[in-house]
Amino acid sequence: MATTKKTAAKAETKTAAKKTAAKTETKAAATKTAAKKTETKAAATKTAAKKTETKAAAKTTAAKKTAAKKTEPKFELFIQFGGATVAVADIEKNVKKVVKGKKAYTVYVKPEESKAYIVADGETTGMDVFFIAD
């Protein structure tokens, strides 16, 4: 009977050892899973940080382009002759009215005659330019 008790005690010890080993393995697996989750979260955080940096860089670039456009100076060109002045923009508006439907045109301004001559698609036409006295 003593042998039976020793055998039963050994079996219980082995069973307890197996249970302890199983618990240890389960805890180790849980620790590995937690570590993987932490690594995944860290990778996601890095990716989010990179996206934020990219967006910030894009905004900075857009801001620089907008600033560059705003700083361009306004350009106006006038022709003066014999006490009269005419804006080149006005000449351009009048020329565009005359050359509707033409593919290409060249304008020659002769202030002494108060005229602009237009060569549009190989045809020459004259146009009066209204000069304004200063």
Side-chain angles (χ1 to χ4, degrees):
M1 188 132 152
T3 309
T4 308
K5 286 184 182 179
K6 286 182 183 179
T7 305
K10 283 183 182 179
E12 285 179 23
T13 305
K14 285 182 181 179
T15 304
K18 284 182 182 179
K19 286 181 181 178
T20 304
K23 286 181 182 177
T24 305
E25 287 177 12
T26 304
K27 287 181 182 178
T31 304
K32 285 182 182 179
T33 304
K36 285 182 181 178
K37 286 182 181 177
T38 303
E39 288 176 7
T40 305
K41 287 180 182 178
T45 303
K46 286 180 183 179
T47 304
K50 285 182 182 179
K51 286 181 182 178
T52 303
E53 288 174 11
T54 304
K55 287 180 183 178
K59 285 181 183 178
T60 303
T61 304
K64 286 180 182 178
K65 285 181 181 178
T66 303
K69 287 180 183 177
K70 290 180 181 178
T71 60
E72 292 180 18
K74 182 179 178 182
F75 180 79
E76 293 183 306
L77 182 62
F78 295 91
I79 297 173
Q80 292 183 326
F81 183 80
T85 302
V86 67
V88 174
D90 292 340
I91 296 171
E92 182 181 6
K93 286 178 193 174
N94 291 334
V95 168
K96 286 183 179 179
K97 289 178 185 176
V98 173
V99 296
K100 286 183 181 177
K102 305 293 183 175
K103 292 183 179 180
Y105 56 90
T106 305
V107 179
Y108 299 92
V109 178
K110 292 187 83 176
E112 65 273 8
E113 296 177 11
S114 296
K115 286 193 174 189
Y117 292 92
I118 306 162
V119 177
D121 292 338
E123 298 176 19
T124 304
T125 58
M127 182 183 88
D128 289 334
V129 177
F130 302 101
F131 286 87
I132 303 166
D134 287 337

